[in-house]
Amino acid sequence: MEKDAQSQSETDKPRSDLEPPSPTKETAAPAPPAPATVNQAKGWRFWAVFPALCVTTLLAAVESTVVATAMPFIANEIGAGDSYVWIVNVYLLTSCAFLPLIGQLANIWGRRYLMIAVICLFALGSGIAGGSTNVAMMIAGRAIQGMGGGGVNLVIMLIVGDLVPLRERGKYMGAIFMFFTLGTAIGPFIGGAIVERSNWRWVFYLNLPIAGLALLLHILFLQVKFNRQGSLSEKLRRIDYIGNLILILSIVSVLIALSWGGARYPWASYQVLVPFILGFVGLAAFHFYEAAPWVKAPVLPERLFLRRTPAAALIIAFIDFMLLYWLIFFFPVYLQAVKGLSPIQSGVQFLPSSAISVFTGTASGFLLSKWGRYRPMHFASFVLMVIGLGLFSRFDKDTSKAEYIGIQVIFALGLGLLMTSNLPAVQADLPEADAGVSAAAFNFMRNYGAIWGVSIPAAIFNARCDAESWRVSDPALRAQLSGGKAYDFVTRYADAALNATSNVQGEIVEVYTRALRMTWQVSLAFALLGFLLVFVEKEISLRKTLDTEYGLKEKKKPGADVEAVPTSTEPKA
């Protein structure tokens, strides 16, 4: 076995274009004996789980982007000022920072009860955000929402991984990602429609009936096993408290720096540099702590990042969501500030992204299950995104509707191809025992990418608006456009422009056009980095069998324990 493991080492020369998964030297944290290989029959109880998963993923997906077009309006209504970015970022922060902890809890207490808990958290946060009377209350509600929303996405992936083998996972995740992509894409439209035609509070209250439906479906149909052995104190000792704390504090520190830099304080100020340095030092300390021999159950095991294919695929996940949120939060700025569309109109113009990415995301999942090759889809994805982002930087007030919709389609095709082919690339070169921690790491990297995908373009956009604000001849409007208030000014500009001369209106549009051009040019560099990372990945064959202790509960037979580990239906390899 040792010799075989060495032959599969990452340091070996490439063996073939399509390689079998190689075992890892490290093992997961102490756990019950590995269950047998299972190919479960897909009866009605199997299919009844998926409608619940689809409704739940739609719930979290819509909320992650619904504030994109509504944000300028909401920020103005509650007087958020330059704190507006925290309404978005705190959701992304908590949905990212608590993911590794949620992954550990799912392995200890199972998927069913944790899914019910994160949906309840999400509903609670929605109610608080919807009832907000000030920016602090809004941020608190969004923080609770983020914990629930991030947990929902992770537990869904864990459940799918428990029910189907890696080779088949793509087509099932394709159906679920269809709802996820649809939700993220129609979110801006819904947000625009609500703030224009109704009370902005329904941006959040809308989640409550959907959460109720999701809860009902999971209570009825999500009947899955988990290991009940061990006392409560033994289970609590399996949680990596120190690792989770270091990670959460580090991410918070980095996000504070990203939110303040160029908006509230200059990038070179100590208010920005200190949290930046502390955050990155904390992330380095987290890495060394997780690799320490006394950490028996690391929250993000080092072995996930030591093999080149999982490591490259995890960084690709980071870049993928960074670029997704880059588009979601700054394409509406172009439509509203440069083209002069209303929030609801900008939401309508964003719909092509939803239709195309839904189609390609679903199709790529089925192709992956049939073909078993993810690298060609990753190459195609980044080629399309590079082209799309390069063309975005050419947008101005004279760009035709056909042009900006067509370029959206190019970019959306690239996004869709990655949606269902990325996680299998992470898990292909890892044992099935690492399915849970690798899914948690994958979701963590995506959500962490989303944080940077909002913060980096916001910093660039505000800095460029400051630098270009001299073009506005009206001193009052120039003051409203600078000092980190350019994003918030998008909504107020529509009212201010009514009293401005046509020359001043043109000057403001020019400032926004130039700021957005630089924003898109920087995003292009990240897309090119993603393209290069695909060369680092190896094409590894995807497993067609499943090892899990978290599958569906079997029908209780006389004298049999419902929670028993299933017997083998296939010979062990």
Side-chain angles (χ1 to χ4, degrees):
M1 282 298 293
E2 188 175 19
K3 185 178 179 183
D4 184 59
Q6 290 172 354
S7 70
Q8 299 287 342
S9 166
E10 287 287 352
T11 59
D12 285 352
K13 295 179 181 178
R15 293 152 291 181
S16 65
D17 187 45
L18 193 65
E19 304 182 10
S22 46
T24 54
K25 215 173 168 186
E26 299 85 359
T27 57
T37 302
V38 177
N39 273 350
Q40 277 185 317
K42 297 179 177 66
W44 73 268
R45 293 172 65 254
F46 173 90
W47 296 110
V49 171
F50 282 89
L53 298 181
C54 292
V55 170
T56 310
T57 199
L58 184 63
L59 172 74
V62 170
E63 189 56 33
S64 66
T65 61
V66 70
V67 296
T69 48
M71 174 58 66
F73 184 89
I74 294 173
N76 188 49
E77 284 288 299
I78 63 175
D82 61 4
S83 296
Y84 78 89
V85 72
W86 279 98
I87 300 174
V88 176
N89 279 353
V90 76
Y91 180 94
L92 299 174
L93 167 67
T94 54
S95 66
C96 169
F98 288 89
L99 274 176
L101 174 61
I102 292 171
Q104 284 195 318
L105 295 177
N107 285 338
I108 296 170
W109 278 287
R111 311 337 189 186
R112 172 181 164 84
Y113 298 115
L114 196 63
M115 175 64 90
I116 291 170
V118 292
I119 293 174
C120 289
L121 267 180
F122 189 87
L124 174 63
S126 298
I128 294 172
S132 298
T133 55
N134 54 59
V135 68
M137 187 175 175
M138 171 66 74
I139 290 172
R142 292 283 288 168
I144 296 171
Q145 262 192 314
M147 284 187 275
V152 160
N153 290 328
L154 172 58
V155 179
I156 286 172
M157 283 191 178
L158 293 177
I159 292 169
V160 174
D162 295 336
L163 298 183
V164 292
L166 185 58
R167 178 65 178 264
E168 293 183 40
R169 227 163 273 171
K171 60 186 177 184
Y172 293 99
M173 287 306 301
I176 291 172
F177 268 121
M178 178 176 69
F179 283 84
F180 178 84
T181 310
L182 178 64
T184 55
I186 66 173
F189 169 73
I190 293 173
I194 288 174
V195 299
E196 196 169 317
R197 302 290 174 85
S198 183
N199 189 319
W200 64 266
R201 298 182 186 280
W202 280 99
V203 167
F204 306 104
Y205 288 154
L206 186 65
N207 296 320
L208 300 179
I210 303 175
L213 174 61
L215 270 177
L216 177 64
L217 291 173
H218 285 301
I219 289 169
L220 291 175
F221 301 118
L222 187 58
Q223 304 293 333
V224 289
K225 297 189 295 288
F226 74 96
N227 190 289
R228 296 180 181 272
Q229 295 176 357
S231 66
L232 178 61
S233 61
E234 289 173 338
K235 290 181 176 181
L236 290 175
R237 284 198 296 270
R238 289 171 57 191
I239 298 173
D240 182 9
Y241 297 102
I242 297 176
N244 275 292
L245 182 61
I246 296 173
L247 182 62
I248 291 168
L249 292 178
S250 301
I251 293 173
V252 170
S253 188
V254 170
L255 186 55
I256 288 172
L258 289 172
S259 301
W260 284 352
R264 182 173 294 185
Y265 304 106
W267 282 101
S269 67
Y270 76 89
Q271 292 95 336
V272 174
L273 290 178
V274 169
F276 239 139
I277 293 169
L278 288 175
F280 281 108
V281 168
L283 289 173
F286 170 77
H287 170 75
F288 286 112
Y289 176 81
E290 293 292 281
W294 62 81
V295 181
K296 301 302 181 185
V299 64
L300 284 178
E302 188 185 27
R303 62 183 176 274
L304 301 181
F305 300 91
L306 292 180
R307 307 196 68 80
R308 84 184 211 201
T309 299
L314 286 169
I315 300 172
I316 285 172
F318 175 91
I319 294 172
D320 177 33
F321 259 51
M322 174 191 282
L323 297 178
L324 170 63
Y325 277 77
W326 207 300
L327 174 76
I328 286 171
F329 281 91
F330 282 86
F331 189 62
V333 172
Y334 166 73
L335 294 174
Q336 293 179 44
V338 178
K339 299 300 289 182
L341 302 183
S342 67
I344 191 171
Q345 288 173 325
S346 69
V348 171
Q349 299 302 325
F350 196 79
L351 286 176
S353 291
S354 91
I356 298 299
S357 52
V358 163
F359 172 76
T360 52
T362 306
S364 68
F366 279 89
L367 278 175
L368 185 64
S369 294
K370 184 176 180 59
W371 193 18
R373 302 174 72 92
Y374 46 82
R375 285 185 80 218
M377 286 188 276
H378 292 186
F379 276 121
S381 171
F382 280 108
V383 166
L384 291 167
M385 285 197 282
V386 165
I387 294 171
L389 292 170
L391 294 174
F392 280 157
S393 65
R394 299 177 63 252
F395 287 175
D396 57 27
K397 62 182 176 62
D398 297 320
T399 302
S400 68
K401 181 187 291 188
E403 185 176 352
Y404 67 68
I405 288 178
I407 292 169
Q408 261 193 92
V409 168
I410 295 173
F411 186 79
L413 283 168
L415 280 176
L417 286 173
L418 265 181
M419 281 294 175
T420 48
S421 62
N422 197 179
L423 179 58
V426 174
Q427 296 180 328
D429 203 24
L430 295 169
E432 198 70 55
D434 279 338
V437 292
S438 59
F442 174 73
N443 276 272
F444 170 80
M445 293 298 286
R446 291 202 311 174
N447 287 20
Y448 197 39
I451 291 173
W452 287 76
V454 174
S455 300
I456 291 180
I460 297 166
F461 177 73
N462 284 324
R464 290 312 304 164
C465 282
D466 278 357
E468 300 287 348
S469 62
W470 63 268
R471 298 177 184 277
V472 180
S473 55
D474 185 318
L477 291 177
R478 184 168 62 248
Q480 294 182 64
L481 190 61
S482 56
K485 296 176 287 189
Y487 191 97
D488 183 25
F489 186 60
V490 171
T491 294
R492 290 183 284 115
Y493 163 60
D495 298 326
L498 295 176
N499 301 318
T501 65
S502 59
N503 285 341
V504 172
Q505 292 178 36
E507 292 164 358
I508 295 172
V509 167
E510 183 66 15
V511 170
Y512 276 118
T513 301
R514 288 174 177 269
L516 287 168
R517 182 175 301 144
M518 174 63 73
T519 304
W520 296 122
Q521 287 170 349
V522 173
S523 71
L524 183 60
F526 288 102
L528 289 168
L529 174 60
F531 177 76
L532 294 176
L533 282 168
V534 181
F535 287 96
V536 178
E537 293 181 310
K538 293 191 296 185
E539 193 74 72
I540 296 171
S541 59
L542 304 180
R543 293 181 292 275
K544 296 183 180 181
T545 56
L546 178 65
D547 284 351
T548 182
E549 58 179 301
Y550 298 100
L552 287 172
K553 284 184 180 179
E554 292 142 355
K555 237 179 177 182
K556 190 169 183 179
K557 298 175 183 177
D561 183 357
V562 175
E563 300 296 332
V565 174
T567 55
S568 176
T569 58
E570 290 187 7
K572 263 288 209 197

